[in-house]
Each structure stands twice: as structure tokens, then as C-alpha cells.
Amino acid sequence: ASLFKKKKKFSLLLLDLEEHYFEQHTAYNLTARGPEANRRTSGSLKICSKSIIFEPDDAVKPILKILLKDCKGIGAVEERGHNPFTESKPACILIETKQVSVFLHRASCLDKLGDQTAMVSKMKQISINNNFFQHVTENPHMECVAEMVSPLVTNAGHVCITDCNLYFQPMNSYPDSVVQIGLHSVRRIYKRRHGLRPLGLEVFCTENDLCSDIYLKFYSTKERDELYYYIATFLENHIAECTAESYMLQWQRGHISNYQYLLHLNNLADRSVNDLSQYPVFPWVISDYSSTQLDLLNPASFRDLSKPIGALNTERLERLLERYRDMPEPHFMYGSHYSSPGYVLFYLVRVAPEHMLCLQNGRFDQADRMFNSVGETWKNCLEGGTDFKELIPEFYGSDSSFLKNLLGLNLGRRQGGGRVENVELPPWASDPDDFLEKMRLALECQYVSEHLHEWIDLIFGYKQRGSEAVAAHNVFHPFTYEGGVDCDSIEDPDQKIAMLTQILEFGQTPRQLFVTPHPQRITPRFHNLSATPSLSSSELSPLSPSMESFEDLTEESKKMAWSNMNKLALQSCHKIHKEAVTGIAVALSGDSIFSTSQDSTLKMFSKENGLQRSVSFSNMALSSCLMLPDDKIVVCSSWDNNVYFYSIAYGRRQDTLMGHDDAVSHICWRDDKLYTASWDSTVKIWKCVADDISSNKRTQFDLLAEFEHEAGVNTLDLSPAGTLLATGTKEGTLTLWDIASPLPLNQLTCHSGKIHQVAFSPDSRHILSVGEDSCLVVTDVQTGMLIATVHAEQEQRCFCWDGNTVLSGGMSGDLSVWDLLSSKVIHKIPAHSGAVTCMWMNEQCSTIITGGVDKQIILWKPEY
């Protein structure tokens, strides 16, 4: 092709798998036939571990690749004109085969020629040239041998990391003498599998997560990990480490697009554009490639994302399952993978023809089997017996060149006689750019956003392996999975290369990122959530249209308050207790503030008038308090196993509920029901059976439900709609309950010690918990999946949050403002002289009150 005439013809793609290119020398080729002037061809000889490659200076003449096993002889000879008295060694080496004889000046590896292991070992003994260092003061920290990875190619050399740079020096100085990366410019680093072995490391210096700056393959996991941890330590104060869970949280809340999220997941699952056997995988999302107009509001326009490609056609699936049942161990449903080098180059042949020629022994595929039409390719994926491929990121990018034959390649003629040129597009696309734009719109549309988590379950999640994979008809050959084969245990070199070839060419399943169902994305005006029966529509749907304008105003004021939470201004400070403050409640008017303490008293005070009342119910500590909706009764929980009802109007204790066998740790109130948590390992729901609890009459409480735990319950919270209950125990277990059922919906040990507080997000999608282990943990309500763990410098005792930002109180007495999406503290505010023990925030998020072990109560307001 004309492309190859413009470029240098030599490429590492000419080498075999696991073959190394060492060095090049000026040489000439002698032929026995033809005019004497044409018998000598000048060029360069590339010394490789399994072959030698002669590249003529004349670009019209073909490259010669000579396998060492085909050589008749390799020997030293004297070139015509050589003077034995002035040189002590022969000037030339003769390499002779049946077809050609090549002369060259002595090469450093030729004395080991034919012994690949010896040749590689000799090159490994050479240290990196420190003349390449950017600064004379650089101190090398580590040096080892590695290979730089690019599509279908690895190139051996030396890696050196100093206190400010990462260097890679190819042993053959190809294509450059050295690659230098400043550590300050690194944005991301990822450990990689290469050939299903944990040997890779990829470094990114830009925010473009599709293309990296260098991909290295090491000869041992230990060396890879040592280099990784050195860079990670250097970057610790420069960038935040992002996990699958943190990206999930950002995606759920709409902070990153579907495209960005899929790129992040591919990166975390070892997918890289430098490794065609692990190229990033994207889903087919559109199923309509025949209409003149693409309707993105019609569900029929889309592929079922809950099924793998092979299960979309019922008739084909039945045939595959029949074969699967009759198959001896190991069972697998599909004889080919959804992503492999062949499939990647099938799509990219027009922009990477040399890679396709390398993969297929110098030939393009038959014209009718090429990527000729988007619609035909989708049809074959639905109906073909061995075609189950997904898409690649380029289908949702902005560069349409892979759809056009801009290089004028001769890709053959189809059976109908037509030449293979540009890819045929669906009728709804006017040109390649329009096609990509509509593909991007489809990927980000409502339907796909609602169902993308189902595809993630198949490719990166819990349906990737085991019984869930079998149930989802998602089982591939064992060699495609991590741990499916141990290449290091294969001693025979030929068998090892054969196994590596099979792994690399067949394709590899991504590293599993999630082991529980992936939560659904939160989308605007979302009414059709496919949720578990216990999650009611009132929990997960927006307010009615009549309430929307009021909701918008309220939400706007809340957003304004939370955006200024780092600007809290202290309004007043009150020291009215003798021990730590444990609870705060405020009257609706805001005039009266109530607080409980370990000094066993309930205090009533105001910002203007100070302390107004002090009440003692028992000689044991009070643990929390709340104000009933009528603004007339304050309810207090106590370590003496009781709950006390205090009448503000009558100024006395009105009722006592004796309902537990140990301390009552926390209480909630909703719809005339009282929820009590106790260290006796139970949570109980009580119903008020009096007409008016605020009247000066005794009130009867009936026990409606009891939720048993395996440890003392330290905290609880009700969802905004009052249908779900979250509890946290002394042993670190978070449990989600449907209040209509005594059985837990989800339960997980998310802390290694006592949970101090749990709270639902305003939209009921997530639960945040803090505990003795100094962690802030976000759990998905629908799936019970732990989706983010943030490690704080110190134990956090209490908090308020809006679903994205957290205001927490820690052991040191500081208030911390957290951005959960970046897992960072964005601001610290000095507050108490000891641990912050409780926190209250009004509905508008415009007033915050904190209490601490320093016996103080502090009022705060965000400054606008």
C-alpha cells in the first residue's frame, strides 16, 4: 500500500511473539545472479532473537526476513580490501541461507545468535545510560528490565525511576533512544494484567483516559509493584486515587457521562488501547439500523442490555445451550469472545492495516468478511453462529476516520463485484460524523442510562463469573478469565508461546470490578425504576407536578447553603451542661433549643435569653432527643432503658416508655410512630394510641414491630418517605429494613468497630455511615452494595449530608467539609476543644448546631 512507501518499512510488527529486536548495522546483501552492479544491495540489518531482517535502502525493494533456524551458516570472513596487519579482527560477518548472503560489520549479539535466552540475558546486563537524566542531581531509586507495550508489540529495555523522573531506555534505541516522563506530570497509574499475568503498569499524563503515555510489562510482579508503589507514594499528595466505587457514585449522580464511566471501568479492569487482547469494550446500544429516522424515545430502537450478545437471539441461544449441555468439561457457551484483537482490527482495519496484516500473516481477510456495513455487522452478531462481538470506544468518539478508506487501501472485491471502500452506514446517518454523533446521543439517552448497569453486571460485575454467569448465559472459554491458566508453570518454550498466542488472540475477559448487583443511575424525573418490591415508588420518584415549583425553590436554597458550607460562621456559643452534649432538638419557630447530655439533664435555652429550663429525669445519661411535630413535646432517650416525654407547655415529664432491657441509644419519630434503638440488640416501633399526645393525659404506646440484631444497636435513621429503616450496631454492621417486614433487606459489615451514625441521602438512594474505624462509608440502598469508603485522618462522630457533600464532626473538635466524589476534605473549621458528639441542621440547611464533649453548644450559619 502507498502508506508503507511513505513510512520506514521496518516495524516491530515484523517480529514473532516473544521475539526481541536488539540492534541494527549497516550491511549489504549479495546475490549470485544478475548483473554485477545489481548483485550488491546496501541497507541495514536488524539483529533479532529469532531472526535477522534486512531492510534495503531502496524503498521499492522488499524487506528480507531470515529465520535463524533456516540459516546455513554464520561465520566471520574478510571483506575484499581488508588489511590483516591493521585490524586484529575480521571486518565482516557472513550470514548465509539458501536464498541470500548478507555481509555486515561485527554485531555485539552475533556470538550468541540462535540462542534467544543467551541473547536476552546479555542485553539485560547493560545498565541504563544516566547521560539521559534531565538533572545531574537526580538520584536513581530503582532500575530493572522491562518491555514497553504497544498494539501487538513489546520492546525490551531498561526502566529507571529517580526522585523526579521515570525513564525507559529501549535496548535497541527504537523508536527513540529514551522515553522520559516527569513524575509531576503523571495524572493516573494503573496496574495491568498482560497475557493474564499481573506484570503490567500503565502511566497517564493527561486526562484523556483512552491513550496513555507509556505501558510497561515487567518480568516479575514484585518489580512491577515496587515501581507502582514508588510512583503512587510520590503522587499521594498530588492526585486522588479513584476506585470503581467512587466513579460509580459520580456516575449515579450524573457528574460523569455514560461514556466517561465506561472508559473509567475499562481502565480499572485492565483494558488498554495498547493491548489489543484487552482493548476497551463498549456495548452495542442501538438495534435499529434500517430506519430512515432514529427514534431515541422508542425502547424498540435499543438492544436489551441485560443480555450478552449471544443471548439476544432466542433460536441461536437454544442451539448454543444444547451444545453447552452436551459439552465435556470445561463447559463454555461461546466459542469466541466479545472482544479480541481480531475483532478490534476488524473495526480499525482502515486506519491500522499494518496491524491486521501482522495478525493475519500478511493478508487481509476475505472482502465479504470485512467491516463493510454497520447494519450487516449487527445482523451477523445477532444471527451468526460464532460472532458475539461488542463495540469499541471509537463508535462513540469524534474521529470517524476508521469508517473511511482514506488511505486508499486495496481491501479486495466482494462477491457482487464492488470494491471494499468506506463502511456502509444506516439510513438514519447522513455521513460518518453524523453517525458518531447519533451513537453518542444514544449512549447518553434516558433508556440507556436506565439500563446500562445491567450490561456492566455482565462485563465487569457479578454476572461475569460463577452461577450468575451461567444463569445469564454469559460463560466463555476458561482461558479468557484471570486465573484460568498459569503460563509461568509451562516450562516448554514452544508450548508456552502457543498458550500465550491462544490467550492473546482469543481475547480476555475484563477483571471483575463488582461482585454484587450494580446500582442503577439516578436520572431526572425518574418514574419507572425497576426496583425491589420493598422499595416503594414514593421512595424513589420525584414530587407531584403541583409541588415542583415549591420543591425547586427549596432545593435551590439548599444547594446554595451546601455550596457555602465551607464558610460557616459562628453565631453563638453556650456552655450549659456539666458533661458531654448528646442530642439537640429545635422548635419549629427556632426560638427554643433543647439539648441532652451525659449529665442526665434536658436543657432548654435560646440564643437571646440563654438558659431557660433544666430538667432531670433519672441519674443516668440521656443519649438523644427530638421534637414532636406539634412543637409541644420533647422526647428523650436514656441509658436507664427508658424514653421520656417532656411537655413544654406544662413544664414537666408527661410520659415514660419502658420498652428495652438495656440503654436506649437513639430515637426517631414519623407518622405518630416512635422508633427506638437499644443496646439490647433490638429496634422497636411504637404506636401512639392517644388522641392528642400533647394533652395533659397519660399516653399508651403499643408495640408494632421489633427488629432483632446480633449486637447492640447504636444508631438508626428513617428514609425521607418513612418506609425504610437503616440501623448501625456496636460491631460495625449496617442493616437496611423494610418497616413492613421483620426480615432485613440488606446487611453488611461496613465498619471494623462501632457505627456512630447512619443517615439516608435526601433522595433515599444511599446511606452514609461513620464509625470507630475512621471511615465514611456510602452504601447503595437498592443493591446493598458498598460503593465508596473514605478513610479519614481521625474518627468522625456525627454528620449531616446532602448526598454529595458531608459536614462531619471529628474527635479533634474540628468540623470537616467533605466532597464524597473526590473523597477529599475540602475545608476544616475549628469548633470544639474535644470530640464533636452531635449535630443538628434545619430543613433549609441554613442553621447548624453542634455539641461536644467540651460541654459546649455552638450555633453556625453558612455565609453567602
Side-chain angles (χ1 to χ4, degrees):
S2 59
L3 171 69
F4 301 141
K5 293 179 182 179
K6 296 173 184 176
K7 292 183 176 181
K8 289 184 177 180
K9 291 191 291 184
F10 175 73
S11 166
L12 295 179
L13 292 168
L14 294 170
L15 275 58
D16 293 340
L17 182 66
E18 296 287 291
E19 183 177 8
H20 297 282
Y21 162 47
F22 294 120
E23 56 195 14
Q24 71 170 355
H25 297 271
T26 301
Y28 56 89
N29 174 30
L30 292 181
T31 55
R33 294 186 296 273
E36 186 172 348
N38 296 333
R39 290 172 57 192
R40 175 173 169 146
T41 303
S42 63
S44 65
L45 193 73
K46 322 292 183 181
I47 308 299
C48 306
S49 57
K50 296 182 181 179
S51 64
I52 56 172
I53 297 173
F54 180 73
E55 181 181 20
D57 292 334
D58 186 349
V60 176
K61 294 184 177 180
I63 281 181
L64 300 176
K65 180 175 181 179
I66 306 167
L67 298 179
L68 296 181
K69 64 181 181 180
D70 294 336
C71 288
K72 293 172 61 178
I74 303 173
V77 297
E78 289 189 6
E79 188 179 7
R80 186 180 303 168
H82 166 62
N83 185 347
F85 297 102
T86 59
E87 294 187 39
S88 59
K89 294 183 180 179
C92 294
I93 299 293
L94 171 65
I95 302 174
E96 189 175 9
T97 71
K98 298 175 183 177
Q99 293 83 20
V100 298
S101 299
V102 180
F103 283 94
L104 70 157
H105 294 288
R106 174 172 289 276
S108 60
C109 277
L110 281 182
D111 55 341
K112 305 289 186 183
L113 207 56
D115 185 347
Q116 166 158 309
T117 303
M119 295 173 75
V120 173
S121 297
K122 183 166 184 176
M123 296 306 296
K124 286 182 180 180
Q125 294 170 7
I126 303 173
S127 297
I128 195 165
N129 185 353
N130 58 14
N131 289 328
F132 291 121
F133 285 3
Q134 294 291 302
H135 310 287
V136 293
T137 57
E138 284 188 65
N139 295 315
H141 172 75
M142 171 191 174
E143 182 180 342
C144 64
V145 180
E147 297 175 16
M148 187 165 69
V149 179
S150 55
L152 298 181
V153 163
T154 61
N155 194 15
H158 292 266
V159 172
C160 179
I161 188 164
T162 70
D163 43 11
C164 54
N165 286 294
L166 171 68
Y167 296 96
F168 177 77
Q169 181 183 349
M171 65 173 65
N172 49 35
S173 297
Y174 181 89
D176 300 300
S177 298
V178 69
V179 177
Q180 178 259 326
I181 295 174
L183 296 184
H184 280 285
S185 66
V186 175
R187 300 269 75 80
R188 295 281 184 271
I189 52 172
Y190 296 98
K191 291 181 180 179
R192 296 287 189 225
R193 290 177 305 161
H194 190 273
L196 295 179
R197 293 175 292 175
L199 300 174
L201 180 72
E202 194 161 19
V203 179
F204 293 81
C205 293
T206 65
E207 296 303 325
N208 180 1
D209 280 344
L210 194 58
C211 299
S212 66
D213 288 77
I214 194 169
Y215 185 145
L216 296 171
K217 171 195 167 187
F218 294 79
Y219 290 95
S220 76
T221 304
K222 181 181 178 183
E223 289 178 333
R224 189 276 306 269
D225 289 347
E226 184 179 346
L227 190 72
Y228 173 87
Y229 287 119
Y230 183 85
I231 300 177
T233 303
F234 180 88
L235 298 177
E236 209 166 31
N237 298 321
H238 301 279
I239 62 173
E241 181 181 2
C242 291
T243 62
E245 290 76 16
S246 64
Y247 283 129
M248 179 204 297
L249 191 61
Q250 294 181 55
W251 172 76
Q252 265 199 294
R253 298 193 168 278
H255 292 273
I256 58 176
S257 66
N258 293 340
Y259 176 82
Q260 290 171 316
Y261 186 44
L262 290 176
L263 275 187
H264 289 311
L265 293 185
N266 273 283
N267 255 326
L268 292 169
D270 293 329
R271 315 300 286 188
S272 168
V273 295
N274 285 308
D275 185 353
L276 295 186
S277 66
Q278 298 189 93
Y279 204 81
V281 56
F282 271 59
W284 289 92
V285 297
I286 297 173
S287 62
D288 178 8
Y289 295 96
S290 57
S291 300
T292 56
Q293 297 291 327
L294 179 62
D295 185 0
L296 296 181
L297 298 178
N298 183 3
S301 300
F302 298 95
R303 163 254 184 110
D304 185 348
L305 288 165
S306 68
K307 298 177 181 179
I309 289 290
L312 292 175
N313 182 324
T314 306
E315 293 181 7
R316 179 179 66 177
L317 179 61
E318 285 302 319
R319 295 194 298 270
L320 292 168
L321 287 175
E322 184 178 350
R323 187 191 69 174
Y324 173 76
R325 297 185 193 104
D326 297 336
M327 185 183 296
E329 292 288 347
H331 292 293
F332 56 90
M333 294 182 186
Y334 309 113
S336 61
H337 205 254
Y338 51 77
S339 176
S340 68
Y343 287 160
V344 173
L345 294 174
F346 169 84
Y347 293 127
L348 298 180
V349 63
R350 290 168 176 81
V351 291
E354 66 273 26
H355 290 82
M356 177 63 86
L357 293 172
C358 172
L359 194 68
Q360 300 204 151
N361 297 317
R363 299 182 181 88
F364 290 123
D365 205 347
Q366 292 182 11
D368 286 296
R369 292 209 299 256
M370 299 286 280
F371 181 31
N372 295 301
S373 160
V374 177
E376 285 181 11
T377 300
W378 168 246
K379 182 180 179 182
N380 198 55
C381 288
L382 285 181
E383 301 174 358
T386 60
D387 192 351
F388 313 107
K389 58 179 171 285
E390 293 279 7
L391 294 181
I392 56 177
E394 283 77 359
F395 279 84
Y396 303 100
S398 57
D399 184 358
S400 62
S401 59
F402 75 100
L403 300 168
K404 298 176 278 190
N405 189 11
L406 298 176
L407 301 174
L409 300 172
N410 181 7
L411 300 174
R413 291 185 179 275
R414 304 188 67 180
Q415 289 184 354
R419 292 179 62 88
V420 176
E421 292 291 348
N422 298 334
V423 177
E424 182 184 336
L425 302 174
W428 45 257
S430 59
D431 56 49
D433 291 333
D434 182 56
F435 171 73
L436 293 189
E437 182 179 356
K438 288 186 169 69
M439 291 289 283
R440 288 194 297 272
L441 289 172
L443 183 64
E444 305 299 337
C445 76
Q446 178 89 359
Y447 179 89
V448 174
S449 293
E450 292 175 9
H451 295 277
L452 187 60
H453 66 287
E454 297 171 329
W455 186 82
I456 292 171
D457 283 335
L458 295 168
I459 306 301
F460 304 106
Y462 82 111
K463 291 183 179 180
Q464 186 196 91
R465 295 180 178 224
S467 59
E468 294 288 352
V470 175
H473 308 126
N474 194 38
V475 182
F476 295 86
H477 195 283
F479 284 175
T480 69
Y481 296 93
E482 185 176 15
V485 62
D486 182 8
C487 289
D488 293 328
S489 65
I490 303 174
E491 296 181 357
D492 183 272
D494 293 332
Q495 290 184 9
K496 189 171 186 176
I497 289 176
M499 179 59 69
L500 280 173
T501 302
Q502 184 173 355
I503 291 170
L504 295 175
E505 292 186 358
F506 192 85
Q508 298 173 47
T509 300
R511 184 167 67 86
Q512 190 174 25
L513 299 178
F514 309 105
V515 294
T516 55
H518 192 289
Q520 194 171 27
R521 191 173 197 185
I522 302 169
T523 56
R525 303 298 169 209
F526 198 28
H527 295 279
N528 300 319
L529 180 66
S530 174
T532 56
S534 51
L535 302 185
S536 68
S537 58
S538 62
E539 285 289 344
L540 301 168
S541 297
L543 298 177
S544 62
S546 62
M547 295 291 290
E548 286 179 8
S549 59
F550 175 76
E551 177 200 17
D552 290 342
L553 288 173
T554 305
E555 288 303 311
E556 200 61 40
S557 65
K558 289 180 181 179
K559 286 181 181 178
M560 179 72 73
W562 275 104
S563 66
N564 289 279
M565 204 57 69
N566 61 335
K567 301 174 185 175
L568 283 185
L570 190 151
Q571 300 295 301
S572 62
C573 186
H574 307 267
K575 191 170 184 179
I576 56 177
H577 285 285
K578 296 178 181 178
E579 299 292 341
V581 182
T582 58
I584 297 168
V586 181
L588 288 174
S589 63
D591 295 334
S592 298
I593 302 170
F594 297 84
S595 60
T596 52
S597 168
Q598 289 183 2
D599 64 11
S600 76
T601 63
L602 169 69
K603 305 281 188 180
M604 173 180 166
F605 69 98
S606 69
K607 179 181 176 182
E608 292 78 17
N609 301 320
L611 182 63
Q612 296 171 319
R613 297 183 192 180
S614 180
V615 183
S616 181
F617 300 119
S618 76
N619 60 357
M620 297 190 73
L622 299 180
S623 55
S624 67
C625 64
L626 60 83
M627 177 74 69
L628 293 190
D630 62 7
D631 230 18
K632 298 178 181 178
I633 298 288
V634 179
V635 186
C636 306
S637 57
S638 174
W639 285 7
D640 67 1
N641 310 352
N642 297 328
V643 178
Y644 298 99
F645 294 78
Y646 175 77
S647 171
I648 300 172
Y650 292 98
R652 64 177 176 82
R653 181 178 64 189
Q654 181 166 306
D655 279 300
T656 302
L657 173 63
M658 295 178 285
H660 287 279
D661 298 325
D662 204 339
V664 181
S665 55
H666 204 84
I667 52 176
C668 286
W669 181 274
R670 188 70 57 83
D671 300 327
D672 291 332
K673 299 184 186 71
L674 178 68
Y675 298 76
T676 58
S678 172
W679 292 349
D680 65 6
S681 303
T682 66
V683 170
K684 296 181 180 180
I685 306 178
W686 308 87
K687 174 69 175 177
C688 168
V689 294
D691 293 334
D692 183 4
I693 193 172
S694 63
S695 65
N696 190 21
K697 295 180 181 178
R698 304 287 296 178
T699 305
Q700 180 182 343
F701 288 90
D702 291 343
L703 180 63
L704 297 181
E706 182 173 343
F707 303 93
E708 296 185 354
H709 298 69
E710 295 181 358
V713 184
N714 201 53
T715 180
L716 59 79
D717 189 46
L718 277 167
S719 62
T723 59
L724 299 176
L725 175 70
T727 59
T729 71
K730 287 175 146 186
E731 293 184 354
T733 300
L734 171 67
T735 308
L736 179 66
W737 308 81
D738 181 340
I739 62 170
S741 170
L743 299 176
L745 296 174
N746 286 303
Q747 190 173 64
L748 69 158
T749 301
C750 55
H751 293 275
S752 57
K754 180 194 297 183
I755 297 178
H756 292 307
Q757 184 181 347
V758 298
F760 283 87
S761 59
D763 59 10
S764 299
R765 299 279 176 164
H766 299 116
I767 299 168
L768 178 64
S769 57
V770 297
E772 279 183 336
D773 56 3
S774 301
C775 289
L776 292 82
V777 176
V778 181
T779 304
D780 184 76
V781 169
Q782 186 179 341
T783 63
M785 182 177 183
L786 191 156
I787 60 173
T789 299
V790 181
H791 298 275
E793 293 179 356
Q794 59 178 273
E795 188 178 329
Q796 303 297 302
R797 294 286 299 272
C798 56
F799 66 88
C800 295
W801 76 314
D802 71 340
N804 293 322
T805 307
V806 181
L807 176 68
S808 67
M811 290 294 289
S812 68
D814 291 340
L815 300 180
S816 298
V817 183
W818 299 79
D819 177 14
L820 284 182
L821 298 180
S822 64
S823 303
K824 283 184 175 181
V825 175
I826 57 178
H827 194 66
K828 278 191 177 182
I829 305 161
H832 294 265
S833 58
V836 185
T837 50
C838 57
M839 185 181 296
W840 176 91
M841 182 182 288
N842 67 345
E843 185 179 356
Q844 293 75 29
C845 310
S846 57
T847 300
I848 297 95
I849 305 177
T850 59
V853 297
D854 60 1
K855 312 166 194 174
Q856 297 208 82
I857 298 169
I858 304 177
L859 279 65
W860 310 82
K861 279 189 178 294
E863 289 187 335
Y864 295 94

